[in-house]
């Protein structure tokens, strides 16, 4: 069958290769997993079960259940964000759909979209599918992987149409402070850049509260914020996300959404209402556990001579392995049965690093870091 | 959260963590962790370190029972005095004063059901303050000490994912 040029030329994810290598063995400790090792809070799961028992299996409103949108808007007040549930909130099938809708609603063919790297692997292909062209803005370990006015200018982002931000970041675990965001916001205002801010890890920060660029002066009206239930509430498989933004952007995204997904699945929406109403304590417990693991992993990497900056959010450490990160990851898997993801998979600036997920049990983290230390020693 | 609380959180999950690992997890230095543990023990916050055992998996494992005990107090005898006597028996694993239909909830461990029965009928029931005992033998334990007794590894996540 003849395929579209778009489908034919879309590159395969660099993660896929490591997935296949790891799957080929049955003795692997995987630190390559980009999702929580917890299950969704039991209260949220019972709400989903209850909704099914009551036969709540119909479509919901295109934008998502009104009750859920109200709770999402109320929930975001904790980040000093204020959105109108009726017109400025859209519930989507995972945060990934929200990112895709934002690109398709905001990008015209030929538009340039600036993306800081290393970052989540789906933005580039998403931009391409929307007809845009990606402009890479490398971030560096020396700047704690934060975006700066200098790096934006150096990459030529002043001529871009849109900027994608992902903080807290996958794969680096980097966060940005209000002061750092103020600098980026000023750049966006000066150069009339709109922003898609993927804040899916907002609830998973350590020591500092999450800061959103949408709260910077003059940025709310030029920013679409993406978030969801996958990471904070360990609901990855339930596929529920959402977007917050100016009414005209949300309206445009909803018009695409209504012809593609129609509405987000109903059962997870009931689970999400319960999660927002009653599961804050579980989120706090998960964050405390991630924080203990984060400290252990970062300290062990530094001890074994792999320099690792202090990640402020998400559940990834991003140690420097020096040299060829792909070769390091392959040899580590081969020699010690530990799967990590090479940093270069996540784009420029990731080379010479490894993405290490600490969303796995403390027992496995200790065993895996012992094996990595032995591997480093043997090289 | 102060240092002692952070150390306590780690110990409550795994009392066998070594000091260096507790230090790494809490961001404290090893000396501060050792001081915190000493203080927690000295203040009777931490009373001991035990394994959470699934006795059903041990051949000729232990029999466990929850015993409800009702007592009648007089001017000279309070709950403290009664609790003090009951707690001294080695078979008593845990002892709580509770609200509701009875006064004490006692967890008793024995080698056999007969052991437990004899202990209740010969040691506890004859106490002058005790007016009634009701013994519930534990048939199966699914969770203890905050730990689910499962076979464990059911992580079905993809080994590498975005």
């Amino acid at each position: 069958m003849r395929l579209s040029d778009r489908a034919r030329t879309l590159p395969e994810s660099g993660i896929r290769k490591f997935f296949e290598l790891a799957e080929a063995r049955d003795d692997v400790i995987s630190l390559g997993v980009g999702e929580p090792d917890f299950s969704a809070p039991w209260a949220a799961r019972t709400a989903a079960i209850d909704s099914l028992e009551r036969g709540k299996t119909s479509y919901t409103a295109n934008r998502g259940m009104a009750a859920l949108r109200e709770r999402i808007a109320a929930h975001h007040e904790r980040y000093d964000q204020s959105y109108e549930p009726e017109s400025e909130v859209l519930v989507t099938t995972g945060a990934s759909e929200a990112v895709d809708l934002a690109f398709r609603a905001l990008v015209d063919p030929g538009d340039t979209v600036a993306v800081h790297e290393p970052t989540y692997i789906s933005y580039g292909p998403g931009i391409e599918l929307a007809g845009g062209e990606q402009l890479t803005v490398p971030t560096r370990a020396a700047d704690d992987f934060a975006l700066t006015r200098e790096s934006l200018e150096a990459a030529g982002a002043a001529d871009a149409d849109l900027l994608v931000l992902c903080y807290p970041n996958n794969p680096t675990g980097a966060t940005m402070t209000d002061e750092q965001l103020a600098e980026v916001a000023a750049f966006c205002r000066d150069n009339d850049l709109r922003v898609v801010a993927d804040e899916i890890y907002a609830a998973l920060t350590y020591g500092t509260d999450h800061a959103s660029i949408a709260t910077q002066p003059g940025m709310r009206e030029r920013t679409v914020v993406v978030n969801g239930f996958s990471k904070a509430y360990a609901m990855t498989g339930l596929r529920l996300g959402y977007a917050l933004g100016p009414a005209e952007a949300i309206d445009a995204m909803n018009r695409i959404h209504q012809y593609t997904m129609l509405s987000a699945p109903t059962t997870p929406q009931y689970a999400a209402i319960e999660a927002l109403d009653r599961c804050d304590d579980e989120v706090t417990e998960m964050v405390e556990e991630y924080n203990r693991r984060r400290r252990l992993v970062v300290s062990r990497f530094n001890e074994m001579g792999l320099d690792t900056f202090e990640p402020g959010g998400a559940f990834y450490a991003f140690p420097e392995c020096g040299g060829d990160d792909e070769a390091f990851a392959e040899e580590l898997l081969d020699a010690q049965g530990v799967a990590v993801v090479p940093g270069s998979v996540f784009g420029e600036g990731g080379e010479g690093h490894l993405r290490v997920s600490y969303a796995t049990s403390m027992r496995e983290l200790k065993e895996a870091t012992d094996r990595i230390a032995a591997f480093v020693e043997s090289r | 959260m102060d240092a002692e609380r952070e150390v306590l959180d780690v110990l409550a999950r795994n009392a066998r963590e070594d000091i260096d690992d507790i230090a790494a997890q809490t961001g404290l230095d090893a000396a501060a962790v050792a001081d915190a543990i000493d203080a927690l023990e000295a203040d009777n916050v931490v009373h001991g370190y035990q394994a959470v055992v699934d006795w059903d998996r041990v051949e000729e494992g232990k029999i466990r029972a929850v015993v409800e005990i009702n007592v009648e107090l007089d001017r000279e005898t309070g709950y403290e005095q009664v609790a003090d006597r009951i707690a001294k028996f080695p078979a008593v694993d845990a002892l709580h004063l509770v609200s509701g239909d009875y006064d004490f909830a006692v967890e008793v461990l024995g080698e056999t059901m007969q052991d437990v029965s004899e202990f209740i009928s010969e040691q506890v029931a004859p106490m002058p303050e005790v007016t009634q005992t009701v013994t519930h033998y534990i048939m199966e334990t699914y969770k203890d000490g905050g730990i689910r007794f499962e076979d464990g590894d059911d992580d079905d996540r993809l080994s590498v994912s975005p």
Side-chain angles (χ1 to χ4, degrees), chain A residues 74-334:
Chain A
H75 174 79
H76 273 262
E77 284 168 13
R78 70 181 60 185
Y79 304 125
D80 296 325
Q81 295 167 333
S82 175
Y83 290 93
E84 178 57 50
E86 289 290 307
S87 57
E88 296 181 323
V89 179
L90 174 65
V91 180
T92 58
T93 306
S96 297
E97 191 211 352
V99 170
D100 179 52
L101 292 175
F103 289 156
R104 288 205 268 168
L106 301 178
V107 175
D108 274 324
D111 277 0
T112 301
V113 181
V115 183
H116 62 92
E117 285 190 346
T119 199
Y120 181 54
I121 56 173
S122 292
Y123 303 134
I127 291 161
E128 204 175 307
L129 288 169
E133 284 167 23
Q134 182 182 323
L135 174 77
T136 298
V137 185
T139 59
R140 303 176 310 142
D143 298 322
D144 289 344
F145 296 105
L147 204 51
T148 62
R149 178 182 270 274
E150 194 186 6
S151 58
L152 285 160
E153 279 170 353
D159 296 326
D161 300 287
L162 187 74
L163 170 66
V164 180
L165 285 184
C166 177
Y167 290 99
N169 181 260
N170 173 6
T172 62
T175 55
M176 284 183 68
T177 63
D178 266 326
E179 294 69 32
Q180 290 169 322
L181 287 169
E183 192 179 302
V184 175
F187 180 86
C188 292
R189 289 191 303 270
D190 293 347
N191 296 287
D192 196 23
L193 278 175
R194 295 157 299 153
V195 174
V196 174
D198 182 348
E199 300 177 1
I200 187 74
Y201 292 101
L204 308 184
T205 58
Y206 311 103
T208 54
D209 291 333
H210 170 67
S212 172
I213 195 161
T215 60
Q216 292 291 326
M219 291 308 293
R220 186 187 184 284
E221 55 267 41
R222 57 172 73 244
T223 303
V224 170
V225 173
V226 171
N227 205 320
F229 296 87
S230 292
K231 311 300 182 182
Y233 298 96
M235 284 168 48
T236 48
L238 297 186
R239 308 306 307 128
L240 204 69
Y242 54 87
L244 309 164
E248 64 271 23
I250 294 299
D251 188 53
M253 290 168 66
N254 185 41
R255 270 182 277 136
I256 303 166
H257 173 72
Q258 71 188 1
Y259 293 121
T260 52
M261 290 296 175
L262 281 78
S263 62
T266 303
T267 309
Q269 293 192 54
Y270 282 99
I273 289 172
E274 190 72 8
L276 291 175
D277 279 353
R278 267 183 267 280
C279 299
D280 272 1
D281 287 349
E282 283 90 338
V283 176
T284 303
E285 281 172 27
M286 287 190 260
V287 171
E288 285 174 358
E289 178 61 16
Y290 287 138
N291 195 15
R292 285 188 279 268
R293 297 176 188 177
R294 175 185 74 109
R295 286 165 166 161
L296 178 93
V297 164
V298 170
S299 112
R300 286 198 168 195
F301 277 121
N302 283 323
E303 276 167 22
M304 65 179 88
L306 304 186
D307 284 347
T308 306
F309 95 106
E310 194 78 23
F315 38 62
Y316 308 104
F318 206 58
E320 288 182 39
C321 63
D324 187 338
D325 50 291
E326 277 212 26
F328 186 106
E330 276 185 49
E331 286 166 25
L332 173 65
L333 183 61
D334 190 44

Side-chain angles (χ1 to χ4, degrees), chain A residues 32-52:
Chain A
V33 187
E35 65 174 315
D37 60 324
F38 300 99
S39 293
W42 181 238
R45 284 186 270 160
T46 56
I49 293 164
D50 182 58
S51 76
L52 287 170

